[in-house]
């Protein structure tokens, strides 16, 4: 897609956002464009937002688009799913109005209610075709008692309700919160930080400021600099839900409102903050070459999300541990969460890690009942790959280097010096530079291949081992998950090669009885059986009764933990200390 068809800056573009029907979840947008020299202008809505790799068809929320000049209506015809063709009839300026329905609670969609206006750039602002480099000004007319704007975009003058974007890439990468949020700040690593806590929550403001400051400085230490002048955390505290989305100079976090009530909940908040903040380097600046400049109208494929997301997933827990907020046992438990997820997913033997990255656009954000059997998370397996590479580098360099050094080198070399993204091979070369050896075998096994991970090889460098607490268990399992709805036991997942899979139980079957007994807790019932026992499972499928004989197989689930080996060597202790105490 061409970035420019006219010189950037030819057009004067102003948006006005208003919320006359916020209670009904509507935002009204007025777009004024002047300085047009063409007989027509095509206006486009992005179909996705960076950081969330799914075509979301944002144009589906747009209604009632009209165009006019000096009170005269102009033809504004939709010519494809996200483009409006406006005939100007000699006019050099045009006023375009449209409405957006904003009622999806997430970090990547607009959400408007009487309590707040959360504005996602890609979901809001039409752009003139070929003019992504054009600056724009946004004026916000707040609803009723809304009195604050939180965004990383700069104010125009001293008016917080008028902000400026130097181009559309930054506009689409700068969410805006308008409402009555609780705003407080701190300074860290020479950068001004703002936290906008939205919709309540039982949080300790001073503790958050203190801990986020430490977190920011720990992450800055890894890369050697903090490239922002100002950074904004927008935190949505809803009754339930969660998630996060990174941006160049801000992030949006979604958390349950009661998250802060427990120490475990508070640590989850810090872990999410650590993850999204780490992205300001890893992906927003140090990025796969495919991720920028963006084409906002189609998928932007990369095989490196295992680095962009998986490495970030690895470092978020590590940073919280380095802050002293996770004990070593907590940290090992967090690592094992990812390991157990991978090893209990049959899809780990089906989908290589590079392919999981590439197929994010069609698979990761569209999970089905069979996803656990067909794919692997590039977050979890990418995080484990990062752990293995970190330990390999520390071992091979005799504790001189670690994955931290790779991240700093790659950030400096590609973002700062070359001013572009990296290729697959270039990132591999960066890893090899600090490992001091060729990593073809690692890549062939674990990135492009489906080899079983030799966890104890890598953990062994640090005098640690992985122990499966279920290894000696001889419990049978059906190999399925269920949910109870209106007193009905419904199958929600069937695990590949399990008893249920082999003998024909299906997702959406209602289990009415096992061996003639009504059973609400299937796993508890099966736990009383032996491997090799046969049971009759009565189900209702598509309204028809069915009796299926099922032979119970061994429960193949694993439950790993990390423990120290007996008598680790001085070298193993040195690797462990370098790994855990950087």
């Amino acid at each position: 897609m061409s970035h420019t068809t006219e010189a950037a800056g030819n057009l004067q573009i102003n948006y006005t956002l208003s919320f006359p029907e916020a209670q009904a979840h509507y935002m009204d947008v007025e777009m004024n464009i002047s300085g047009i020299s063409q007989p027509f202008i095509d206006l486009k809505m992005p179909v996705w937002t960076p950081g969330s790799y799914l075509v979301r068809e944002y144009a589906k929320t747009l209604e009632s688009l009209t165009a006019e000049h000096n009170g005269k209506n102009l033809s504004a015809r939709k010519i494809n799913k996200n483009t409006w063709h406006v005939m100007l009839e000699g006019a050099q300026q045009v006023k375009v109005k449209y409405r957006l329905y904003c009622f999806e609670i997430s970090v990547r969609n607009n959400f408007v209610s009487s309590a707040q206006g959360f504005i996602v750039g890609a979901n809001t602002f039409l752009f003139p075709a070929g003019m992504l480099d054009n600056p724009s000004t946004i004026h916000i007319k707040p609803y009723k008692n809304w009195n604050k704007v939180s965004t990383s975009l700069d104010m125009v003058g001293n008016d917080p309700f008028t902000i400026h974007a130097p181009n559309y890439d930054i506009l689409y990468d700068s969410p805006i919160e308008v409402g009555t949020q609780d705003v407080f700040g701190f300074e860290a690593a020479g950068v001004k930080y703002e936290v906008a806590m939205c919709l309540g929550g039982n949080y300790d403001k001073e503790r958050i400021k203190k801990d986020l400051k430490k977190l920011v400085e720990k992450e800055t230490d890894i890369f050697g600099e903090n490239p922002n002048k100002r950074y904004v955390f927008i935190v949505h505290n809803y009754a339930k839900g969660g998630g996060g989305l990174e941006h160049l100079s801000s992030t949006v976090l979604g958390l349950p409102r009661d998250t802060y009530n427990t120490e475990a909940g508070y640590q989850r908040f810090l872990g999410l903050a650590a993850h999204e903040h780490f992205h300001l380097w890893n992906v927003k600046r140090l990025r796969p070459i495919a991720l920028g400049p963006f084409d906002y109208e189609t998928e932007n494929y990369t095989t490196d999300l295992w680095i962009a997301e998986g490495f970030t997933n690895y470092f978020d827990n590590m940073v919280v541990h380095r802050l002293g907020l996770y004990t070593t046992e907590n940290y090992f438990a967090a690592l094992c969460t990812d390991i157990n997820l991978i090893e209990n997913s049959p899809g780990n033997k089906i989908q290589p890690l590079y392919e999981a990255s590439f197929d994010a656009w069609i698979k990761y954000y569209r999970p089905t009942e069979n996803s656990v059997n067909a794919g692997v998370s590039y977050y979890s397996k990418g995080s484990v790959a990062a752990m293995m590479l970190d330990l390999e580098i520390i071992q091979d360099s005799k504790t001189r280097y670690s994955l931290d050094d790779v991240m700093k080198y790659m950030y400096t070399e590609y973002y700062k010096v070359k001013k572009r993204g990296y290729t697959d091979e270039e990132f591999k070369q960066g890893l090899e530079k600090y490992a001091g050896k060729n990593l073809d075998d690692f890549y062939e096994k674990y990135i492009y291949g489906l080899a079983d991970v030799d966890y104890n090889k890598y953990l062994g460098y640090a005098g640690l081992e992985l122990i499966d607490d279920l290894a000696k268990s001889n419990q049978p399992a059906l190999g399925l998950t269920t949910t109870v709805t209106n007193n009905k036991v419904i199958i929600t997942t069937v695990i590949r090669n399990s008893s249920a899979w082999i003998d024909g139980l299906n997702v959406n079957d209602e289990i009415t009885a096992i061996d003639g007994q009504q059973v609400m807790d299937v796993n508890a019932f099966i736990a009383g059986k032996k491997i090799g026992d046969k049971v009759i499972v009565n189900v209702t499928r598509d309204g028809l009764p069915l009796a299926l004989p099922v032979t119970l197989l061994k429960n193949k689930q694993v439950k790993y933990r990390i423990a120290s080996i007996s008598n680790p060597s001085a070298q193993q202790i040195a690797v462990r200390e370098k790994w855990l105490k950087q």
Side-chain angles (χ1 to χ4, degrees):
M1 182 176 67
S2 171
H3 242 49
T4 53
T5 54
E6 297 187 26
N10 281 359
L11 302 187
Q12 296 292 317
I13 301 176
N14 290 275
Y15 297 93
T16 300
L17 309 180
S18 57
F19 307 86
E21 292 187 294
Q23 83 288 349
H25 317 296
Y26 275 93
M27 171 167 53
D28 287 8
V29 183
E30 182 180 299
M31 181 184 189
N32 285 281
I33 313 170
S34 59
I36 309 168
S37 57
Q38 303 162 226
F40 66 87
I41 190 165
D42 285 342
L43 300 177
K44 292 177 172 286
M45 178 73 86
V47 304
W48 71 290
T49 191
S52 186
Y53 306 102
L54 177 69
V55 170
R56 297 188 180 277
E57 309 294 17
Y58 285 128
K60 70 186 178 184
T61 65
L62 190 150
E63 302 174 13
S64 309
L65 185 142
T66 60
E68 63 177 79
H69 172 64
N70 287 341
K72 178 186 176 184
N73 289 337
L74 300 174
S75 169
R77 185 167 56 89
K78 194 172 186 181
I79 57 172
N80 63 33
K81 67 179 183 178
N82 69 317
T83 308
W84 287 260
H85 183 72
V86 181
M87 294 301 299
L88 295 168
E89 300 178 19
Q92 292 186 315
Q93 58 190 55
V94 64
K95 179 188 291 183
V96 177
K97 294 181 177 180
Y98 54 95
R99 311 193 79 203
L100 295 166
Y101 182 65
C102 311
F103 195 50
E104 183 174 332
I105 291 178
S106 80
V107 295
R108 53 193 170 257
N109 294 81
N110 290 335
F111 183 78
V112 171
S113 70
S114 56
Q116 69 171 144
F118 175 56
I119 300 155
V120 173
N123 194 178
T124 303
F125 301 105
L126 294 175
F127 69 92
M131 298 290 287
L132 286 170
D133 292 328
N134 213 93
S136 60
T137 300
I138 302 96
H139 181 65
I140 298 166
K141 293 182 176 177
Y143 178 76
K144 291 189 178 176
N145 64 330
W146 296 356
N147 57 14
K148 290 173 188 161
V149 175
S150 297
T151 181
S152 58
L153 294 171
D154 290 334
M155 281 190 296
V156 175
N158 293 316
D159 179 4
F161 292 96
T162 303
I163 49 185
H164 177 77
N167 56 55
Y168 279 94
D169 287 324
I170 289 178
L171 181 59
Y172 293 151
D173 206 19
S174 306
I176 304 165
E177 179 74 26
V178 193
T180 58
Q181 59 269 25
D182 181 17
V183 177
F184 52 93
F186 59 93
E187 189 166 313
V191 178
K192 291 186 177 177
Y193 278 78
E194 177 183 310
V195 181
M197 297 294 267
C198 312
L199 307 170
N202 185 23
Y203 51 87
D204 180 336
K205 197 180 302 189
E206 292 307 312
R207 186 183 185 192
I208 285 175
K209 287 197 290 189
K210 177 170 64 75
D211 288 341
L212 285 182
K213 176 180 171 67
K214 289 181 189 172
L215 184 155
V216 166
E217 290 170 349
K218 282 287 183 190
E219 292 190 342
T220 301
D221 285 346
I222 295 170
F223 293 92
E225 69 167 21
N226 193 315
N228 285 301
K229 292 180 180 176
R230 193 168 69 87
Y231 187 95
V232 181
F233 287 97
I234 298 172
V235 186
H236 290 153
N237 297 313
Y238 295 114
K240 58 182 180 179
L245 189 60
E246 71 275 5
H247 299 282
L248 194 69
S249 303
S250 63
T251 185
V252 184
L253 312 179
L255 294 151
R257 200 169 290 127
D258 62 0
T259 292
Y260 315 94
N261 292 348
T262 65
E263 198 59 29
Y266 182 72
Q267 287 179 3
R268 280 194 297 274
F269 158 69
L270 282 181
L272 181 59
H275 182 99
E276 302 305 339
H277 185 263
F278 194 85
H279 272 312
L280 79 84
W281 294 277
N282 190 34
V283 91
K284 298 314 303 185
R285 291 171 175 84
L286 170 61
R287 60 176 175 81
I289 201 160
L291 297 184
F294 292 117
D295 184 337
Y296 294 100
E297 296 187 76
T298 190
E299 297 87 347
N300 292 219
Y301 291 102
T302 173
T303 54
D304 290 325
L305 292 182
W306 67 276
I307 300 169
E309 289 293 352
F311 279 35
T312 303
N313 208 47
Y314 172 69
F315 275 102
D316 63 29
N317 283 321
M318 179 62 85
V319 167
V320 176
H321 174 60
R322 289 178 190 175
L323 291 175
L325 293 167
Y326 280 169
T327 64
T328 298
E329 290 71 26
N330 286 152
Y331 178 60
F332 287 169
L335 288 176
C336 286
T337 296
D338 282 326
I339 293 170
N340 289 330
L341 182 66
I342 295 162
E343 298 303 325
N344 286 322
S345 299
N348 180 41
K349 306 299 183 202
I350 302 294
Q351 185 184 49
L353 189 49
Y354 85 99
E355 187 182 291
S357 299
F358 194 81
D359 277 350
W361 291 94
I362 59 170
K363 292 187 176 180
Y364 185 77
Y365 288 96
R366 290 191 178 105
T368 72
E369 67 283 347
N370 197 48
S371 291
V372 69
N373 295 315
V376 69
S377 165
Y378 52 80
Y379 282 85
S380 296
K381 195 162 186 181
S383 178
V384 167
M387 176 192 77
M388 295 155 67
L389 287 163
D390 200 2
L391 287 164
E392 185 71 56
I393 290 166
I394 295 169
Q395 169 75 9
D396 292 343
S397 69
K398 295 183 170 53
T399 73
R400 185 178 176 190
Y401 301 124
S402 72
L403 193 57
D404 288 40
D405 297 290
V406 177
M407 301 307 286
K408 183 177 181 178
Y409 165 75
M410 293 296 293
Y411 170 79
T412 302
E413 185 71 11
Y414 288 91
Y415 171 66
K416 296 186 71 179
V417 177
K418 290 187 168 68
K419 301 185 188 305
R420 64 169 174 83
Y422 57 81
T423 65
D424 297 33
E425 183 59 28
E426 285 167 341
F427 201 94
K428 178 171 170 283
Q429 289 167 2
L431 292 163
E432 290 171 339
K433 175 181 174 69
Y434 288 90
K437 68 179 185 182
N438 182 291
L439 291 172
D440 285 358
D441 183 60
F442 182 93
Y443 267 69
E444 285 304 315
K445 282 182 175 178
Y446 302 128
I447 309 307
Y448 304 125
L450 297 167
D452 291 337
V453 174
D454 188 352
Y455 293 104
N456 284 333
K457 170 187 172 182
Y458 295 94
L459 290 169
Y461 293 150
L464 300 166
E465 62 181 338
L466 202 59
I467 297 170
D468 179 10
D469 286 336
L470 298 181
K472 295 179 180 178
S473 167
N474 279 311
Q475 288 295 316
L478 278 173
L480 51 75
T481 61
T482 60
T483 185
V484 178
T485 305
N486 297 327
N487 239 23
K488 294 180 177 180
V489 180
I490 308 296
I491 298 175
T492 52
T493 308
V494 176
I495 301 298
R496 184 185 295 272
N497 295 330
S498 66
S499 312
W501 174 284
I502 291 166
D503 289 327
L505 291 169
N506 287 185
V507 167
N508 295 331
D509 285 354
E510 178 195 346
I511 297 177
T512 54
I514 303 178
D515 284 348
Q517 296 183 47
Q518 184 180 15
V519 175
M520 302 306 287
D521 187 338
V522 173
N523 290 332
F525 183 86
I526 296 300
K529 302 288 184 179
K530 296 192 294 294
I531 294 169
D533 283 355
K534 290 182 169 56
V535 294
I536 301 297
V537 182
N538 292 91
V539 301
T540 299
R541 180 180 297 170
D542 192 31
L544 300 174
L546 195 61
L548 294 168
V550 177
T551 302
L552 297 177
L553 303 178
K554 185 180 186 300
N555 186 353
K556 296 175 184 175
Q557 296 282 292
V558 295
K559 185 180 179 183
Y560 285 120
R561 59 184 169 87
I562 295 171
S564 180
I565 64 170
S566 303
N567 304 313
S569 68
Q571 167 68 9
Q572 287 174 316
I573 292 294
V575 168
R576 189 188 304 182
E577 289 185 349
K578 172 72 171 174
W579 181 43
L580 296 175
K581 296 180 181 178
Q582 298 183 58

Coordinates of all heavy atoms in Angstrom, one line a residue, residues 11 16 34 45 81 100 112 119 158 230 252 259 278 296 327 390 403 415-416 445 450 490 536:
L11 N -2.6 18.4 3.3 CA -4.0 18.5 3.8 C -4.0 19.0 5.3 O -3.1 18.6 6.1 CB -4.7 17.1 3.8 CG -4.8 16.5 2.4 CD1 -5.7 15.2 2.5 CD2 -5.4 17.4 1.4
T16 N -13.3 16.2 15.3 CA -14.0 16.6 16.5 C -14.8 15.3 17.0 O -15.6 14.8 16.2 CB -15.0 17.7 16.3 OG1 -14.3 18.9 15.9 CG2 -15.7 18.1 17.6
S34 N -9.1 20.1 4.6 CA -8.9 21.2 3.6 C -7.6 21.1 2.9 O -6.7 20.4 3.4 CB -9.0 22.6 4.3 OG -8.0 22.7 5.3
M45 N -11.0 3.2 6.6 CA -11.0 2.8 8.0 C -10.0 1.6 8.1 O -10.2 0.6 7.4 CB -12.4 2.4 8.5 CG -12.4 1.9 9.9 SD -12.2 3.2 11.2 CE -13.9 3.8 11.3
K81 N -15.3 -2.7 1.6 CA -15.7 -2.9 3.0 C -15.2 -1.7 3.9 O -15.8 -1.5 5.0 CB -15.1 -4.2 3.5 CG -13.6 -4.3 3.6 CD -13.2 -5.6 4.1 CE -11.6 -5.7 4.3 NZ -11.2 -7.0 4.9
L100 N -20.1 6.1 15.4 CA -19.5 4.8 15.7 C -20.2 4.2 16.9 O -20.4 4.9 17.9 CB -18.0 5.0 16.0 CG -17.1 5.5 14.9 CD1 -15.8 5.9 15.4 CD2 -17.0 4.4 13.8
V112 N -17.8 3.1 24.8 CA -18.3 4.4 25.3 C -19.6 4.0 26.1 O -20.4 3.2 25.7 CB -18.7 5.3 24.1 CG1 -19.5 6.5 24.6 CG2 -17.5 5.7 23.3
I119 N -11.1 5.4 23.4 CA -11.0 5.6 22.0 C -9.8 4.9 21.5 O -8.7 5.3 21.8 CB -11.0 7.1 21.7 CG1 -12.3 7.8 22.3 CG2 -10.8 7.4 20.2 CD1 -12.1 9.2 22.6
N158 N -2.5 24.7 26.0 CA -2.8 24.2 27.3 C -4.2 23.6 27.4 O -4.8 23.5 28.5 CB -2.7 25.3 28.4 CG -1.2 25.8 28.5 OD1 -0.3 24.9 28.5 ND2 -1.0 27.1 28.5
R230 N 7.4 10.9 27.7 CA 6.2 10.7 28.6 C 5.6 9.4 28.2 O 5.6 9.0 27.1 CB 5.3 11.9 28.3 CG 4.1 12.0 29.3 CD 3.4 13.3 29.2 NE 2.7 13.4 27.9 CZ 1.4 13.0 27.8 NH1 0.8 12.4 28.8 NH2 0.8 13.1 26.6
V252 N -2.7 0.0 27.4 CA -4.0 -0.1 28.1 C -4.0 -1.5 28.7 O -3.7 -2.5 28.1 CB -5.1 0.0 27.0 CG1 -6.5 -0.1 27.7 CG2 -5.0 1.2 26.2
T259 N -8.8 -6.9 41.7 CA -7.4 -7.5 41.5 C -6.5 -7.1 42.7 O -5.7 -7.9 43.1 CB -6.8 -7.0 40.2 OG1 -7.5 -7.6 39.1 CG2 -5.3 -7.4 40.0
F278 N 7.3 -3.6 28.7 CA 8.5 -4.2 28.0 C 8.3 -4.0 26.5 O 9.3 -3.9 25.8 CB 8.6 -5.6 28.4 CG 10.0 -6.2 28.1 CD1 11.1 -6.1 28.9 CD2 10.1 -7.0 26.9 CE1 12.3 -6.7 28.6 CE2 11.4 -7.5 26.6 CZ 12.5 -7.4 27.4
Y296 N -2.6 -1.1 7.0 CA -3.8 -1.2 7.9 C -5.0 -1.8 7.3 O -6.0 -2.0 7.9 CB -4.2 0.2 8.4 CG -3.1 0.9 9.3 CD1 -2.3 1.8 8.8 CD2 -3.0 0.5 10.6 CE1 -1.3 2.4 9.6 CE2 -2.0 1.1 11.4 CZ -1.2 2.0 10.9 OH -0.2 2.6 11.7
T327 N 9.1 -14.5 44.9 CA 10.2 -15.4 45.4 C 10.7 -16.3 44.3 O 10.0 -16.4 43.2 CB 9.7 -16.3 46.6 OG1 8.7 -17.2 46.0 CG2 9.1 -15.5 47.7
D390 N 18.3 -18.2 27.1 CA 18.9 -17.4 28.2 C 19.9 -18.3 28.9 O 21.1 -17.9 29.1 CB 17.9 -16.9 29.2 CG 18.3 -15.7 30.0 OD1 19.5 -15.3 29.9 OD2 17.5 -15.2 30.9
L403 N 20.5 -13.3 28.0 CA 19.6 -12.8 27.0 C 19.4 -11.3 27.1 O 19.0 -10.7 26.1 CB 18.2 -13.6 27.1 CG 17.2 -13.4 26.0 CD1 17.8 -13.9 24.7 CD2 15.9 -14.2 26.3
Y415 N 17.0 -0.9 15.8 CA 16.2 0.3 16.0 C 17.0 1.6 15.9 O 16.6 2.5 15.2 CB 15.5 0.3 17.4 CG 14.7 1.6 17.7 CD1 13.7 2.0 16.9 CD2 15.2 2.4 18.7 CE1 13.0 3.2 17.2 CE2 14.5 3.6 19.0 CZ 13.5 4.0 18.2 OH 12.8 5.2 18.5
K416 N 18.1 1.7 16.6 CA 18.9 2.9 16.7 C 19.8 3.1 15.5 O 19.9 4.2 14.9 CB 19.6 3.0 18.0 CG 18.7 3.0 19.2 CD 19.5 3.2 20.5 CE 20.0 4.7 20.6 NZ 20.7 4.9 21.8
K445 N 15.1 -27.9 15.8 CA 14.4 -28.7 16.8 C 13.2 -27.9 17.3 O 12.0 -28.5 17.3 CB 15.3 -29.1 18.0 CG 16.2 -30.2 17.7 CD 17.0 -30.5 19.0 CE 17.9 -31.7 18.8 NZ 18.7 -31.9 20.0
L450 N 9.4 -30.0 15.7 CA 8.4 -30.4 16.8 C 9.1 -31.3 17.8 O 8.5 -32.2 18.4 CB 7.2 -31.1 16.1 CG 6.4 -30.3 15.2 CD1 5.4 -31.2 14.4 CD2 5.6 -29.3 16.0
I490 N -22.1 -30.8 29.9 CA -21.8 -30.7 28.4 C -20.3 -30.8 28.2 O -19.5 -30.1 28.9 CB -22.3 -29.3 27.9 CG1 -23.8 -29.1 28.3 CG2 -22.1 -29.2 26.4 CD1 -24.8 -30.1 27.7
I536 N -19.7 -47.4 30.2 CA -20.7 -47.0 29.2 C -21.1 -45.5 29.5 O -21.6 -45.2 30.6 CB -22.0 -47.9 29.3 CG1 -21.6 -49.4 29.0 CG2 -23.0 -47.4 28.2 CD1 -21.0 -49.6 27.7

